[in-house]
Amino acid sequence: LAKNLQDLGNYQYDKMKVKSVYLLDRYFSTHAMLFDKAIQAQVLITPSSIEVFKRVHKLVPELRRLTTSKLTDEMEVQMSEILDIFTEYCTVRLRSDQRNATVEPHGMNQKILLNFGVVDDVFNILNKRIDMGFIEKQYAGLRKIFKQCFIFLQVMARRNDPVQTKIFEQMDKLLDVPGCPQELGLCIAEVFTGNMRLCLSIKPDRVRRIVELVARQQRDGGELLQALNAIVKVEEI
């Protein structure tokens, strides 16, 4: 087909040339799109990966239902359990000995969760607007959810450039989330750890906001200092 369209483009007939070039563009654009999607596609062959896929496929609609609902105590417990499951999927222990266990990011499970849109769902949870005056009382359960969200994002971002970039793009909103400065600081630190591109891309205003958070939190701002340290110390340099 491509050769025939190229041949038609050689004729001294303007309309035929325009149509042939248009069809060639559509033809190759479609192939390029399919190729890009093929690169992102996953073939799950291990039983554990297939099981994770099935479990995430079942739990994601439930998480989204809870995200768009006004949470009761029971619903907060359900959301907390789902976030714990997703967080556990992001890491793998290389040794069975608990004392000497080496915890590493689970790349395949991270990709499964990312492709299901779980990172974006967690952003939606963190974007819930809560009055700081109520977070210690009526919203104590939601504060726990916020902490779990940051812990999940932290382990998802570990050695994971696409997730690091997504968190970086949402940083202004994340810095507004109240009640969990330690988890926020560790999450931000993970975004910049070893990522020279993001360290060089951060704007002074964002650094200033982190410094202001450290000043406000005082004793609870140690993890935010770790985030600042990760920004200025790039291991690749």
Side-chain angles (χ1 to χ4, degrees), residues 141-200:
L142 191 55
R143 181 183 182 182
K144 178 184 176 183
I145 296 294
F146 285 171
K147 289 184 176 183
Q148 288 179 283
C149 286
F150 280 122
I151 293 172
F152 168 77
L153 291 176
Q154 179 191 351
V155 295
M156 273 291 290
R158 194 164 296 160
R159 301 182 200 167
N160 193 332
D161 186 86
V163 176
Q164 290 175 337
T165 301
K166 288 176 76 72
I167 298 174
F168 179 81
E169 292 170 350
Q170 294 287 325
M171 190 174 299
D172 287 333
K173 294 180 180 180
L174 298 181
L175 290 173
D176 289 332
V177 177
C180 39
Q182 295 94 340
E183 292 76 13
L184 170 62
L186 292 174
C187 177
I188 294 175
E190 197 66 58
V191 169
F192 292 101
T193 298
N195 195 321
M196 180 172 60
R197 177 179 59 84
L198 294 183
C199 289
L200 297 176

Side-chain angles (χ1 to χ4, degrees), residues 1 53 59 62 66 76 92-93 97 107 115 138 140 160 213 227 236:
L1 176 61
F53 178 89
L59 291 175
E62 183 65 16
L66 295 170
E76 287 174 358
V92 58
R93 292 185 180 273
D97 183 1
N115 287 347
Q138 288 93 328
N160 193 332
L213 277 176
E236 283 83 348

Side-chain angles (χ1 to χ4, degrees), residues 56-124:
V56 174
H57 184 267
K58 179 180 179 180
L59 291 175
V60 163
E62 183 65 16
L63 178 65
R64 289 173 181 165
R65 180 186 69 82
L66 295 170
T67 301
T68 56
S69 304
K70 184 175 181 180
L71 295 179
T72 63
D73 291 343
E74 182 180 353
M75 294 168 73
E76 287 174 358
V77 171
Q78 293 175 358
M79 180 178 286
S80 177
E81 291 174 350
I82 294 174
L83 290 171
D84 281 341
I85 292 171
F86 289 169
T87 301
E88 185 178 353
Y89 283 158
C90 292
T91 57
V92 58
R93 292 185 180 273
L94 301 183
R95 296 180 182 177
S96 57
D97 183 1
Q98 292 294 327
R99 292 184 179 180
N100 300 316
T102 302
V103 179
E104 293 288 332
H106 197 303
M108 179 55 70
N109 288 355
Q110 286 177 332
K111 290 179 181 178
I112 292 173
L113 291 163
L114 180 62
N115 287 347
F116 267 105
V118 177
V119 173
D120 293 323
D121 293 332
V122 170
F123 288 151
N124 290 334

